Amino acid sequence: MTVKEFKLPDVGEGVAEGELVSWLVAPGDRVEEDQPVAEVETDKALVEVPSSYDGTVEELFVEEGEMVPVGDVIISFRVDEDGDAGAAAADAGSDAESDSDSAAADEPEAEPDATADEGDAEPAEPDTPSGRTFAPPSARRLARELGVDVAAVDGSGPGGRVSEADVRAHAEGADGSAGSGGEDGPEPRPAPTPTDAGSEGRKSAVSKRGAGGSRDEGSAATGGGPEPAGRETTLATPATRKVARERDVDLDDVPTDETRDGEAFVTAEAVNAYADALESAAESASESEPEPADVDAGAEPAATDAASAGDETVPYRGVRRTIGKQMERSKYTAPHVTHHDTAEVDALVEARAELKPKAEASDVKLTYMPFVMKAIVAGLKEYPYLNSELREDDEEIVLKGEYNLGIAVATDAGLMVPVVEDVDEKGLFELADEVNDLAARARERKLKPDEMNGGTFSITNFGAIGGEYATPIINYPETAILGLGAIEERPVVREGADGASEVVPAPTLPLSLSIDHRVVDGAIAAQFANTVMEHLENPLLLLNE
């Protein structure tokens, strides 16, 4: 048996890191190759990470909710020799890796709790009847915080699995007997967890920001040291991120003048320089730190924690952060102009009502969206600059030859925009079926990253929740986006039987068209909107599309 470490793979084009949302396995579970072991949320989608090995889960190095750079170890497996040999052959036969695996196999399996540092006298986790302690990373983290030996906790879960409640109960039960041990010695420290023992000293692959004992807290407490940059996003190589973890430094706080793709870029040298400066400041502050003054029991605290004031902090990352950055880039890059108009859609409502029974017979839910999509294609064919992309660096406008429409879908994680390709080549029922499928999988977070790429024009239907008009933000680098209001009966002016004008109720569809004014003029936008409305008000024209 050998231990194989598994790194977070590239889960999507251009994705550098992801949030480990949930583990689908636990230590001791038997897994097969290609079996999903974790769910990871990137800035594009929620994806399942499959195992590369047949074997048994040995250790989990990342806790749920942590951000993990691509290439960092997240889990290890104990595999048999036959599976190991097959994996080695598939990995291009790297001799060095085979040697290291052999060395790992020579480790005494009867002592999985041995630490990497032989000189460390700290006791490791004792063996359980099965040879290991079954506990999720969250329970192990709580055990470390409470100073509890997780191997000594009686698990109440299946197979003796230790939960957080078990750890708390053990800690509360041990409080009364603390200090009454039969052995003299130093104050007990938390026993090493699977991320500390049996893994050659490997710690969790990433460390959470704001964790206790971080350098940032020490620097803030002393008031000295370099001023943290406090960025929201920082680019760095995996090697640099490793240095930052080892030096306990938040990359977003490291000052830098370098940029990559418009984002701050930090090198390992900058991380080391920042960490050295923090250490020097901390040493100077500790030498001159005065004795703490007595605190007046009746005095109000200088500051209150946000949680105590009833505020809630929600991480700004994953899909929500991607949406924010995309909207910011679009709004501050493309000068937006929004054109509003209203289509009178009596004939459209009647056409859909006539087609619904036939659609239901084909097990298709027919909404108004396919009609709108076909009408948009008609407008894009007549006014191609709305189906274009401005490439500033090349100083050229690319008029797209495909009609791939993105449909904005509201999900629990934020707005996702799956793309329906080749709308001009598909019928109404086919479009309806594809839109329904994409929307359903978007809400379930089951979209593939490539299903949200390649759009040439986008549609957002805020009318689904009762809106009329809006100012949609363009899905950059596209050139335009059309917002749909709710189809409702509203007063319109029409010619009566006697030739006089009269106000009557009629179903209308409000439209809000946002354009990139660098590419499209207001007159062209209005003409495009007129073409779309013409096809919606006369659905028979859609037969040509």
Side-chain angles (χ1 to χ4, degrees):
M1 299 287 284
T2 58
V3 174
K4 285 288 189 177
E5 292 182 337
F6 178 73
K7 300 177 181 179
L8 179 66
D10 185 356
V11 291
E13 182 180 355
V15 173
E17 62 180 4
E19 177 186 353
L20 198 145
V21 176
S22 63
W23 283 110
L24 305 179
V25 295
D29 288 352
R30 183 73 185 178
V31 298
E32 298 179 354
E33 186 176 357
D34 294 330
Q35 175 182 334
V37 296
E39 289 183 319
V40 174
E41 181 180 71
T42 70
D43 56 0
K44 295 182 179 180
L46 184 72
V47 297
E48 292 183 339
V49 178
S51 167
S52 296
Y53 303 101
D54 290 331
T56 303
V57 177
E58 179 71 10
E59 313 284 358
L60 305 180
F61 295 111
V62 178
E63 301 194 18
E64 294 178 351
E66 293 188 355
M67 298 298 295
V68 189
V70 169
D72 271 18
V73 175
I74 60 173
I75 188 174
S76 65
F77 302 94
R78 187 170 292 277
V79 300
D80 55 31
E81 297 294 342
D82 293 338
D84 182 37
D91 290 340
S94 60
D95 295 337
E97 181 177 341
S98 298
D99 292 340
S100 64
D101 290 339
S102 299
D106 293 336
E107 293 290 333
E109 288 188 31
E111 300 179 6
D113 56 339
T115 60
D117 185 357
E118 296 178 359
D120 188 355
E122 180 177 327
E125 293 181 4
D127 290 341
T128 63
S130 62
R132 61 171 61 87
T133 300
F134 296 97
S138 58
R140 295 184 181 275
R141 178 179 58 185
L142 180 61
R144 292 196 299 273
E145 294 172 352
L146 298 179
V148 170
D149 182 349
V150 72
V153 179
D154 293 329
S156 60
R161 184 179 176 88
V162 177
S163 67
E164 293 184 47
D166 295 331
V167 174
R168 293 186 186 278
H170 183 87
E172 293 172 358
D175 285 344
S177 58
S180 60
E183 296 181 4
D184 294 330
E187 181 179 350
R189 298 160 57 194
T193 67
T195 57
D196 302 321
S199 307
E200 298 183 352
R202 179 181 295 282
K203 301 290 185 179
S204 174
V206 293
S207 56
K208 288 187 175 181
R209 296 179 186 170
S214 68
R215 291 191 187 278
D216 294 340
E217 291 176 356
S219 177
T222 61
E227 185 71 22
R231 294 181 298 273
E232 292 185 355
T233 304
T234 301
L235 300 181
T237 64
T240 301
R241 294 183 183 276
K242 180 180 179 181
V243 173
R245 291 194 298 273
E246 292 173 348
R247 300 297 301 269
D248 198 13
V249 167
D250 189 334
L251 280 174
D252 291 338
D253 288 340
V254 179
T256 182
D257 294 327
E258 295 189 40
T259 60
R260 297 282 176 87
D261 299 327
E263 298 284 357
F265 181 82
V266 169
T267 62
E269 291 76 13
V271 171
N272 284 322
Y274 181 69
D276 292 342
L278 287 176
E279 290 177 353
S280 298
E283 291 175 1
S284 300
S286 62
E287 292 175 358
S288 59
E289 184 176 357
E291 290 295 327
D294 293 335
V295 179
D296 184 357
E300 290 292 330
T304 59
D305 186 88
S308 65
D311 295 340
E312 179 182 1
T313 300
V314 179
Y316 180 61
R317 60 193 181 207
V319 174
R320 172 50 57 192
R321 183 177 65 179
T322 301
I323 293 171
K325 289 187 175 297
Q326 177 73 353
M327 295 299 98
E328 179 183 18
R329 181 186 182 193
S330 177
K331 192 65 175 179
Y332 291 105
T333 301
H336 283 54
V337 170
T338 304
H339 173 86
H340 301 286
D341 215 326
T342 302
E344 300 176 15
V345 290
D346 312 58
L348 176 63
V349 172
E350 294 174 1
R352 174 175 173 265
E354 291 180 8
L355 290 174
K356 277 189 69 175
K358 185 175 181 181
E360 291 173 353
S362 301
D363 199 24
V364 173
K365 179 182 178 181
L366 183 61
T367 65
Y368 291 106
M369 183 61 72
F371 297 92
V372 175
M373 295 169 73
K374 301 296 282 187
I376 287 174
V377 168
L380 294 178
K381 288 181 176 179
E382 193 166 344
Y383 301 98
Y385 277 85
L386 281 90
N387 196 53
S388 68
E389 175 187 340
L390 173 60
R391 297 178 178 171
E392 298 96 327
D393 294 340
D394 299 328
E395 294 187 339
E396 63 184 17
I397 300 172
V398 180
L399 304 180
K400 300 298 182 71
E402 298 177 332
Y403 301 95
N404 302 333
L405 304 189
I407 312 296
V409 179
T411 73
D412 292 340
L415 203 65
M416 293 188 178
V417 188
V419 175
V420 180
E421 299 181 345
D422 304 320
V423 175
D424 57 319
E425 300 176 3
K426 298 173 180 177
L428 290 175
F429 288 5
E430 185 178 1
L431 289 175
D433 193 45
E434 187 169 349
V435 168
N436 293 335
D437 173 63
L438 289 171
R441 289 193 289 114
R443 296 186 184 97
E444 296 171 358
R445 309 296 305 283
K446 294 183 178 180
L447 285 177
K448 299 176 182 178
D450 58 2
E451 290 180 311
M452 293 184 284
N453 294 332
T456 62
F457 186 100
S458 292
I459 308 170
T460 178
N461 183 19
F462 45 80
I465 53 177
E468 287 192 57
Y469 296 100
T471 55
I473 296 180
I474 298 166
N475 190 13
Y476 189 82
E478 296 171 11
T479 301
I481 181 172
L482 182 65
L484 308 177
I487 294 181
E488 295 178 352
E489 283 200 343
R490 298 179 178 88
V492 298
V493 178
R494 289 181 176 170
E495 184 177 340
D498 57 358
S501 297
E502 60 180 356
V503 177
V504 297
T508 63
L509 171 60
L511 303 175
S512 299
L513 174 68
S514 289
I515 58 169
D516 182 344
H517 214 335
R518 298 173 301 173
V519 180
V520 180
D521 294 330
I524 299 298
Q527 292 167 359
F528 168 83
N530 289 340
T531 300
V532 172
M533 289 192 298
E534 180 184 10
H535 284 73
L536 293 176
E537 293 173 352
N538 302 280
L540 288 177
L541 293 175
L542 298 176
L543 296 176
N544 293 327
E545 301 305 325

